[in-house]
Amino acid sequence: MTEPAMIDVNTLRISFGHGASLVHAVDGVSFTVREGETFGLVGESGCGKSTVLRALCGLNPAWSGDISIAGAALARPPDRAFFRRVQMVFQDPYGSLHPRHTVNTTLGEPLAIHGIGDRDRRIVEVLEQVGLGPAFRYRYPHQLSGGQRQRLAIARALILEPRVLLLDEPTSALDVSVQAEILNLLTDLRRARGLTCILVSHDLAVVAHMCNRLAVMMQGRIVEELDVAALAEGRTATEYGTGLLTASRGYDRRLAAAFVEKTEE
Amino acid sequence: MSDPQLIVDDLHVRFRTPQRIVHAVRGVSFTVGREKVGIVGESGSGKSTVGRAILRLTAPNATVSARRMAFQSVDLAGASENAMLKVRGRRIGMIMQDPRYALDPVMRVGEQIGEALDGRGLSGAERRARVLAMLEAVRIRNPQRVYDLYPHEVSGGMGQRIMIAMMLLPEPDLMIADEPTSALDVTVRMQVLAILDELVTNRGLGLIFISHDLNLVASFCDRVLIMYAGRIVEECRAEDLAAAQHPYTRGLLASLPRIDARRERLSVLQRDPAWLND
């Protein structure tokens, strides 16, 4: 692939606390995502994958290192133009929508903030694109199912027509049949709009389905980077990556014994 | 399959709400021997309600009825509340999804596990020894130290092992595990399943494993029951799940993304209203 780099992250470090309780949540992470590509970040809880994503979308200002998106260095705090290029979809469709805002208000707000006109047309259009339709326009989040809420969250992210979409576990709160609908929707929208995406997930199958390449994180570092073909064929380079892949395939009595031996405590 | 320990025949659970009566479980029948039985379904399918109804742990607005629901010689459907106290925890144990909510946050882990031995006339030292032995059985390497910890001081995987230890201490014959590994990372999940597998096999326990994860259940259990809208729509041996017949099961399997077989699009489950009635 010869597409230019859309997202370039270099020696990113993020720490929380200070003194004895200082935690290096992200400890020197570097990766590049090319335009139109979907890049996966996988790892277990606490490995820092979501923290990387939050820094990328400007939700975590306390980082050091270099982040550039579409050739421009990420400012602190990010300027308004940045948010038109980069948007995020969160894990929990119940927590990420304002319970007392209608669909119309939720979708109109980003347009108002960025001073974009022609709101009616844009709202109707984006609702159509995420498969909700105009009938949903004046509903409240509690009147929507989990899958419909996640569609709304995607619509909110897309209404500013960003070039980069950051996805933090977008389907882990959903049933598998609904997950399939949302993943298909993301696939279609990505193609139609030429989006560059980063997908954070603990589910290797979802990452394998959606991404071109992925990085495995452990304790704030990237331990291995590979493409999905290598993942599908089980060609992981590190012991940690292999363990993660094995454990994701389901239970196997022979293999499970090895996991117990490795236990802490 | 060994002799059935638990027999559930035509179980119905109805919830009264101010608006209407919700018929959550609609005529479920199955048996469990000394084996691992998985109950799989999506949210709202009634799988957890079945697990709770067996122990009569359903909410106060629920009505449980069954043609027959028996555990060994105990009639679970007709037993008095007093009789149920002798069953719950002692003969049928239950493991919940998230140890952070299921454990008492202000009680040390060891004392909490030891409560399962209340009323057996054991001395403090005997009791402590039994708890420590059980912590070792769930592969906790330093039981002495863990005994004195509070639940917030242990990891999720360790918390789930503590739950398993607590449930196994009274030596039940049947365990109901409701999504026991859903809150855990995949590698920790493997550890917890390995421990559960070993204990169930060695102690000849029956296990009801309730989960939304088809692949996990197929790889861990002996038999699988697939629930949809309060009914069991299909029952098969776990290794035969890939050859499942019911369109719902087939649809669910097809909608799962796979690591080793990439497809452009996932197939989306088309729900057929007729599934509600067959």
Side-chain angles (χ1 to χ4, degrees), chain A residues 30-47:
Chain A
S30 307
F31 61 89
T32 302
V33 186
R34 289 181 284 265
E35 186 166 7
E37 198 179 29
T38 298
F39 187 75
L41 277 179
V42 301
E44 301 192 285
S45 12
C47 74

Side-chain angles (χ1 to χ4, degrees), chain A residues 44-45 175 188 191 211 265, chain B residues 43 141 187 262 264-265:
Chain A
E44 301 192 285
S45 12
D175 274 325
D188 295 344
R191 190 187 305 119
C211 299
E265 207 54 49
Chain B
S43 28
R141 211 163 284 168
T187 52
R262 189 165 175 150
E264 186 55 25
R265 295 177 66 81

Side-chain angles (χ1 to χ4, degrees), chain B:
Chain B
M1 195 172 93
S2 54
D3 294 339
Q5 302 270 313
L6 175 78
I7 298 170
V8 176
D9 186 11
D10 199 25
L11 172 70
H12 289 260
V13 182
R14 294 176 178 85
F15 291 97
R16 280 186 319 278
T17 70
Q19 289 81 35
R20 62 202 173 102
I21 289 174
V22 179
H23 199 167
V25 176
R26 309 161 171 242
V28 160
S29 306
F30 62 96
T31 61
V32 182
R34 300 191 181 278
E35 57 178 339
K36 292 173 283 186
V37 177
I39 303 183
V40 201
E42 296 192 286
S43 28
S45 62
K47 57 188 191 300
S48 291
T49 309
V50 168
R52 288 170 171 274
I54 291 168
L55 283 176
R56 294 233 308 263
L57 287 172
T58 43
N61 67 336
T63 318
V64 177
S65 61
R67 196 177 304 141
R68 185 164 174 227
M69 188 157 74
F71 174 68
Q72 294 171 349
S73 58
V74 185
D75 171 23
L76 296 173
S80 67
E81 201 43 35
N82 258 336
M84 283 309 289
L85 289 177
K86 294 201 170 66
V87 173
R88 279 190 210 121
R90 300 190 184 200
R91 302 179 63 186
I92 306 180
M94 187 155 190
I95 303 171
M96 306 285 186
Q97 176 169 359
D98 197 335
R100 269 160 293 202
Y101 296 111
L103 295 173
D104 185 338
V106 295
M107 196 170 182
R108 290 182 197 276
V109 161
E111 293 163 29
Q112 209 164 143
I113 299 174
E115 277 196 324
L117 296 171
D118 275 356
R120 298 206 179 181
L122 294 175
S123 73
E126 278 173 321
R127 188 158 149 157
R128 187 178 168 93
R130 295 273 297 271
V131 171
L132 289 174
M134 190 50 77
L135 283 172
E136 256 191 274
V138 294
R139 305 277 185 90
I140 286 177
R141 211 163 284 168
N142 193 345
Q144 303 279 355
R145 194 179 75 81
V146 173
Y147 189 97
D148 289 322
L149 295 177
Y150 285 100
H152 75 271
E153 296 174 299
V154 304
S155 65
M158 173 103 63
Q160 208 54 300
R161 284 191 238 174
I162 290 166
M163 286 271 286
I164 294 172
M166 186 187 293
M167 289 306 139
L168 282 176
L169 203 50
E171 297 175 347
D173 290 314
L174 178 70
M175 283 263 253
I176 302 172
D178 191 353
E179 303 267 13
T181 58
S182 305
L184 306 178
D185 280 320
V186 281
T187 52
V188 183
R189 179 175 86 185
M190 278 288 248
Q191 296 165 5
V192 169
L193 290 179
I195 291 163
L196 215 54
D197 189 17
E198 182 192 302
L199 293 171
V200 166
T201 311
N202 293 351
R203 293 172 190 236
L205 247 66
L207 177 72
I208 299 179
F209 189 94
I210 299 168
S211 174
H212 68 282
D213 190 333
L214 272 159
N215 282 334
L216 184 67
V217 166
S219 58
F220 183 71
C221 294
D222 303 313
R223 275 193 305 137
V224 187
L225 315 173
I226 292 113
M227 283 192 71
Y228 177 73
R231 285 199 170 85
I232 294 174
V233 294
E234 183 150 17
E235 179 179 344
C236 64
R237 296 208 55 78
E239 62 261 32
D240 300 332
L241 185 68
Q245 294 301 308
H246 195 279
Y248 175 68
T249 319
R250 301 196 62 82
L252 269 191
L253 285 168
S255 69
L256 282 171
R258 298 171 58 101
I259 295 175
D260 52 356
R262 189 165 175 150
R263 288 161 294 170
E264 186 55 25
R265 295 177 66 81
L266 297 167
S267 67
V268 170
L269 184 70
Q270 304 294 336
R271 288 161 206 273
D272 185 343
W275 298 347
L276 297 174
N277 307 312
D278 45 48

Side-chain angles (χ1 to χ4, degrees), chain A residues 8-13 24-33 39-43 46-49 52-53 56 198 200 213-226 237-238 240-241 244:
Chain A
D8 199 17
V9 175
N10 210 343
T11 55
L12 179 68
R13 288 177 207 280
H24 296 286
V26 178
D27 196 6
V29 161
S30 307
F31 61 89
T32 302
V33 186
F39 187 75
L41 277 179
V42 301
C47 74
K49 56 191 193 300
V52 169
L53 212 60
L56 275 174
I198 297 183
V200 161
R213 286 186 304 130
L214 65 142
V216 180
M217 285 188 68
M218 181 178 77
Q219 291 171 7
R221 293 166 193 268
I222 290 180
V223 293
E224 143 160 45
E225 208 180 300
L226 68 166
T238 57
Y240 183 74
L244 208 58

